[in-house]
Amino acid sequence: MLSGGNLVGGDFRYSLEQVQWQGRTVWKLRQQFTDSGKIYQQTTFLVDPNNEDALVFSELTFPSRNPDVKSQWIAQEFGRSPGGILYPARYQRGHARKNFSSMEDVRVVKLDVLDGLPAGLTERPQSADAPYLSKTGRPVVHTQLAVDYVNAKESGGALPPVTVVMRVNQSNAVQLQADSQGHLIISLPPEEITYLEVRAKAAGFAPQVVRWRKQGDPLKLPERYSAKLWPASPVSGKVIDESGRPVAGAEVQLWLSGVGRGNYVFGDFFDISGLKMRTDSDGIWTSKDFPDDLRGLSYRVSAQGYPASTDSGSADFRSFAKVPYSALRDGSWVVTLRQGVPLSGIVSDISGAPVSGARLVVGRDAWGTNLPVVTAGARGGFELNGLGVGPIVLTAESPLHKPQSMELTLPLAAPLAIRLDKGNVLRGRVVDIKGKPCAGLNVGVDTWKNLRTLNFTTQTDDEGRFEWQGAPDEPVSYSFGGCQNREFLNGLWLKAGADEQIVVMKPALRLNAKVIDAVTKLPIESFRLTSGRVYENGDPYWEKTSTKSYENGAGVWETGYMGGRLAFLIEAEGYAPLQTPDCETQQTEITATYELKPVSGNNAAARK
């Protein structure tokens, strides 16, 4: 690099030069990832040759983004270990993006010198999913799975009886019992397992879930798994109103989210989800079976006449920096509910006749949150209580009328009068790629006018037909799916009209990929393909859990989700990774051949 000035390898460009930094001469090493002349990612290192080649500065930026995102590390002071090794004793690190920047000072106050590197430190890290993924493209099937339940806190500690609820694929749940030593044998079916869930409960321990589910590569289930059960203890708190009086009968929901769970192939986590308790006459609630680890705790507190108090680990529970998690253990955590305002009115049609059974929902996304919902009575009347003061979005929906959305600011001076017009009729027929009717498919609506508040659902008949008599004037995105044959299509936009609309059940994107050696033009024996969602002014977000492995230089990748654009990352041992051009997800089919370039040291191509 010193003699040539820079080094270019594939889409990576490197440069090395001497520059002035803080009054001294240092070496600047820069790596840029480019595509078609556009710099997507840039990493810069500054090294001080007069200070034992110490790293004094590093920076990661994404120049193609607007605005850019920047991360920095700056050394400010160095120290020496007892053995004379130089290390950064004081440094700054920070991150900046649009309308946000942070920089913190870090000082090393204690230094432990290791005799040697811990085992495995230099190995490439693996995800928790890696041991359970088959890289051959074929599932690994065993006749049984042995689960050993152990006390996580006490090695060899006794366990009370462990009751297990197990479910495989689409089958019904089965209850099992571990033996007195905590051992359990689960018989597995011979067919491919795409979902296996084992829920365990023992008195005095937090309920635990172990789960495997196929998302990309087929599963490689173990023959034996050791599951730790964590001792539990109660949590409690109090609910009061604005005047400090206890709120009796309030519903408190608690769940743990994001701790070892996520949307992964494998998970071993606490089964604390949607627990519901009621406060007593003193506003006190209590729940047992909570583990020591309360990270990611979310809650929802609701009571008649009050807006629901909802938060998660990333919101109000940040206040546990002020109110520690110990407040849940000693019962000193208090939630204050503020008095809400009502919303009432009458739903009628254009002629003034009441519309009974109309569904009214407050908010923008009924699927992602627990929104206030009410059904109009026989005379079209409705009343929602405990709503927050300020702007809201209200959606009114009836099976035979066009849905209507409106923006309101509460409280209102008078009851609301809603008039619904006669609905449009949308007729559709769902067929497969050969034109054969798809019977018994579930049909549902998802997005309308940037809202996800409609609730229409139906099924296709024997001829694959369905009908909605309350369709709006605007387009609506639909989902189609069937559990038995695993057909699925989501995000198809349809608009009501006079003609029957034909829906073809084919993937939103089907990629038929051939992957060959760029030198020999022969198929690459084994490669991996990862999809990535493409965003404007940004790099793709790679869905690592969707990674699939293929053999013999060919593979097919499909998705049922329409909308947006996808790119693919193709990787193989001994080759530089390749990112494909963006692909539309509008029931698109692509057949393409991709050439991977061998990297230095790859002798596979030479042998061929």
Side-chain angles (χ1 to χ4, degrees):
M1 291 181 68
L2 285 173
S3 61
N6 64 67
L7 172 69
V8 177
D11 294 322
F12 289 91
R13 178 181 294 273
Y14 301 85
S15 63
L16 181 66
E17 61 178 328
Q18 284 189 322
V19 298
Q20 293 296 310
W21 184 75
Q22 294 188 354
R24 60 187 188 271
T25 301
V26 298
W27 286 106
K28 180 173 76 173
L29 171 64
R30 174 165 286 171
Q31 177 200 61
Q32 293 176 331
F33 174 69
T34 64
D35 185 20
S36 303
K38 189 176 183 180
I39 301 174
Y40 281 91
Q41 178 177 308
Q42 177 174 282
T43 309
T44 303
F45 300 97
L46 298 184
V47 174
D48 188 349
N50 298 314
N51 195 20
E52 301 184 17
D53 293 327
L55 178 69
V56 294
F57 175 90
S58 67
E59 180 182 73
L60 173 65
T61 63
F62 300 88
S64 64
R65 296 185 183 181
N66 185 23
D68 192 4
V69 177
K70 181 184 297 184
S71 298
Q72 285 187 340
W73 181 93
I74 307 170
Q76 296 179 305
E77 180 182 324
F78 285 86
R80 287 191 182 276
S81 71
I85 298 175
L86 196 72
Y87 69 91
R90 187 167 63 89
Y91 55 89
Q92 288 184 318
R93 61 186 178 192
H95 185 75
R97 60 179 184 268
K98 183 179 180 181
N99 300 325
F100 171 83
S101 65
S102 68
M103 183 69 75
E104 63 178 353
D105 293 304
V106 181
R107 182 183 293 274
V108 178
V109 296
K110 186 176 186 294
L111 183 71
D112 291 329
V113 181
L114 304 177
D115 294 332
L117 292 179
L121 183 66
T122 60
E123 295 178 3
R124 184 175 180 177
Q126 285 191 329
S127 71
D129 296 338
Y132 308 110
L133 294 174
S134 172
K135 298 302 184 180
T136 64
R138 297 182 296 274
V140 176
V141 179
H142 303 293
T143 58
Q144 63 182 29
L145 169 64
V147 182
D148 302 312
Y149 288 100
V150 297
N151 189 322
K153 283 291 188 72
E154 300 178 20
S155 179
L159 286 175
V162 180
T163 300
V164 171
V165 176
M166 180 272 297
R167 187 158 66 89
V168 179
N169 294 343
Q170 301 296 322
S171 64
N172 295 327
V174 177
Q175 183 168 308
L176 304 171
Q177 191 76 36
D179 65 20
S180 59
Q181 301 300 313
H183 303 314
L184 177 70
I185 301 296
I186 298 175
S187 297
L188 300 177
E191 66 265 18
E192 179 183 3
I193 295 177
T194 59
Y195 186 90
L196 174 59
E197 180 183 84
V198 184
R199 294 177 175 266
K201 183 70 178 74
F205 289 80
Q208 197 79 2
V209 176
V210 181
R211 178 187 296 155
W212 292 268
R213 54 184 170 187
K214 177 183 175 181
Q215 297 193 51
D217 283 328
L219 294 176
K220 183 178 70 175
L221 293 175
E223 292 186 87
R224 192 168 213 99
Y225 183 79
S226 179
K228 295 180 179 179
L229 294 183
W230 293 82
S233 55
V235 293
S236 62
K238 187 175 184 179
V239 181
I240 61 174
D241 63 16
E242 293 175 276
S243 63
R245 294 175 298 187
V247 178
E251 182 180 83
V252 180
Q253 290 180 261
L254 295 176
W255 61 94
L256 289 174
S257 59
V259 181
R261 185 180 304 219
N263 190 29
Y264 304 120
V265 170
F266 169 73
D268 186 339
F269 51 89
F270 304 123
D271 185 18
I272 308 294
S273 56
L275 295 181
K276 296 181 181 180
M277 295 77 64
R278 291 282 182 182
T279 57
D280 60 19
S281 58
D282 295 321
I284 304 294
W285 60 269
T286 301
S287 179
K288 58 180 182 177
D289 298 336
F290 264 76
D292 291 338
D293 188 352
L294 295 178
R295 290 173 301 165
L297 187 66
S298 301
Y299 73 92
R300 185 176 190 270
V301 182
S302 58
Q304 184 68 27
Y306 299 89
S309 176
T310 304
D311 249 313
S312 66
S314 61
D316 191 58
F317 268 114
R318 289 181 303 178
S319 65
F320 274 132
K322 303 175 183 177
V323 182
Y325 283 115
S326 58
L328 278 169
R329 295 298 184 192
D330 61 23
S332 61
W333 180 55
V334 177
V335 171
T336 301
L337 295 181
R338 306 189 182 281
Q339 192 70 41
V341 297
L343 172 63
S344 62
I346 295 178
V347 184
S348 58
D349 62 18
I350 296 301
S351 68
V355 177
S356 63
R359 177 178 176 269
L360 298 105
V361 57
V362 176
R364 293 185 174 274
D365 189 345
W367 305 107
T369 52
N370 194 349
L371 299 182
V373 179
V374 70
T375 300
R379 298 183 179 181
F382 69 91
E383 183 173 1
L384 285 158
N385 292 300
L387 301 178
V389 175
I392 65 165
V393 175
L394 178 69
T395 300
E397 178 186 17
S398 170
L400 301 177
H401 299 84
K402 296 178 186 178
Q404 186 179 143
S405 66
M406 59 203 79
E407 296 185 1
L408 307 170
T409 300
L410 301 183
L412 299 181
L416 186 65
I418 300 175
R419 292 288 183 95
L420 298 182
D421 201 351
K422 182 180 179 180
N424 295 307
V425 179
L426 185 143
R427 297 180 179 88
R429 187 168 186 256
V430 187
V431 298
D432 62 19
I433 56 176
K434 296 181 179 180
K436 181 181 177 181
C438 295
L441 283 186
N442 297 320
V443 182
V445 297
D446 188 86
T447 304
W448 164 67
K449 295 171 58 176
N450 293 321
L451 301 173
R452 300 181 71 226
T453 51
L454 299 183
N455 197 44
F456 170 77
T457 59
T458 187
Q459 281 192 333
T460 57
D461 63 15
D462 292 342
E463 294 297 320
R465 289 185 166 86
F466 70 95
E467 182 177 282
W468 184 16
Q469 299 183 37
D473 296 330
E474 302 83 8
V476 178
S477 71
Y478 289 74
S479 64
F480 303 86
C483 294
Q484 298 303 319
N485 48 16
R486 307 183 74 85
E487 294 175 293
F488 179 74
L489 183 64
N490 178 273
L492 179 66
W493 290 84
L494 300 175
K495 185 177 180 180
D499 298 330
E500 181 179 76
Q501 304 189 46
I502 302 299
V503 176
V504 180
M505 284 294 291
K506 65 179 182 178
L509 173 64
R510 178 185 173 96
L511 175 66
N512 304 292
K514 292 185 177 180
V515 180
I516 63 174
D517 186 300
V519 177
T520 67
K521 308 303 180 182
L522 294 175
I524 293 177
E525 293 178 359
S526 177
F527 68 92
R528 300 178 302 278
L529 190 149
T530 303
S531 65
R533 181 69 60 178
V534 178
Y535 296 97
E536 187 177 357
N537 297 324
D539 298 325
Y541 176 78
W542 300 114
E543 294 284 355
K544 291 297 185 180
T545 56
S546 73
T547 299
K548 296 189 69 173
S549 300
Y550 300 93
E551 295 180 313
N552 303 319
V556 178
W557 190 96
E558 294 181 345
T559 180
Y561 289 92
M562 297 187 63
R565 300 176 67 85
L566 294 178
F568 294 90
L569 183 66
I570 303 176
E571 301 171 289
E573 296 297 331
Y575 294 87
L578 181 146
Q579 180 178 325
T580 71
D582 299 352
C583 307
E584 294 283 354
T585 54
Q586 296 294 334
Q587 294 192 308
T588 309
E589 182 158 357
I590 297 174
T591 299
T593 299
Y594 302 102
E595 298 185 0
L596 299 191
K597 298 177 181 178
V599 297
S600 176
N602 179 10
N603 296 320
R607 289 195 302 269
K608 292 179 182 179

